[in-house]
Every structure is written in structure tokens, then in C-alpha cells.
Amino acid sequence: QVQLVESGGGLVQAGGSLRLSCAASGRTFSTYVMGWFRQAPGKEREFVARITWSGGSTNYADSVKGRFTISRDNAKNTVYLQMSSLKPEDTAVYYCAAGNQYDYHAWGQGTQVTVSS
């Protein structure tokens, strides 16, 4: 199993920036893609961004395109989510996930991001 630990969440004003980190450990050899998801109170979990571990191909939800950037540091087994121009609607618990070519199989415990207006 892959273990994932998120960090970097916090409180920020609208228009500000935060960078989330996701450190992976354990059985990482089967990891093909790393993704970020978020869940706001009273809402379902939604996809935010993903990146392939080897090639670095990225995809983003329409709601965050142009504002968020996902990246990875292979040497550190770490994935990042740089969030800029934050909006109150970005407030959520952000989860890091690891998956193979078919689905996500490991999840972190989440880190809270709160954007004040």
C-alpha cells in the first residue's frame, strides 16, 4: 500500500496563494498517476487536478484552470498543488490520491484549506 501525507493547508484571504504538498511512501512502484481532490461541507468530493508520475502530463478541473498548478518531484516522491487567486469557493478539505492506470487506490487524510472573503 502507498501511504500519502498532505501538508500546507491553512487560512488565506481571497486572492492569495497556498502550496499543498503530498509526500508518498511505501509501495509506490505501481503508481501511475497522482491526483488532488477536494470536498467542501455538504458537497461531494470533486476532482481538482492530476499528473502522471513518469511523463508529467496534467489535467485540471475547469473550476481551477489557470489558477492551480500540479507538479511533482520524483526524487522526493512528492506532489504539489500550487493554488493562486484563491476564492472562497475553493474552501474544502483537499485530498491527495495515488492510482494505477485504472483507478485511485490510496488516499491521504486530507488538509484543510480555508479562503476568507
Side-chain angles (χ1 to χ4, degrees):
Q1 182 73 285
V2 177
Q3 290 82 47
L4 304 173
V5 180
E6 303 98 334
S7 62
L11 176 65
V12 65
Q13 291 185 334
S17 300
L18 279 175
R19 188 178 77 160
L20 306 182
S21 298
C22 174
S25 61
R27 205 177 73 163
T28 62
F29 62 87
S30 63
T31 299
Y32 171 75
V33 63
M34 299 289 291
W36 286 97
F37 295 77
R38 66 187 183 186
Q39 187 167 25
K43 296 184 178 181
E44 295 185 1
R45 183 182 64 195
E46 66 174 341
F47 166 79
V48 175
R50 60 125 238 182
I51 186 169
T52 58
W53 191 248
S54 296
S57 298
T58 59
N59 288 100
Y60 299 92
D62 288 341
S63 60
V64 306
K65 285 181 179 178
R67 301 189 298 119
F68 291 11
T69 302
I70 188 171
S71 62
R72 88 275 197 242
D73 186 333
N74 293 31
K76 295 181 178 180
N77 281 347
T78 300
V79 175
Y80 305 95
L81 185 68
Q82 178 66 50
M83 305 183 293
S84 300
S85 301
L86 284 162
K87 306 174 181 179
E89 47 263 51
D90 294 318
T91 295
V93 177
Y94 283 71
Y95 297 92
C96 178
N100 54 30
Q101 294 188 61
Y102 301 101
D103 51 38
Y104 293 95
H105 54 76
W107 297 81
Q109 297 302 305
T111 185
Q112 177 70 48
V113 172
T114 302
V115 184
S116 62
S117 60

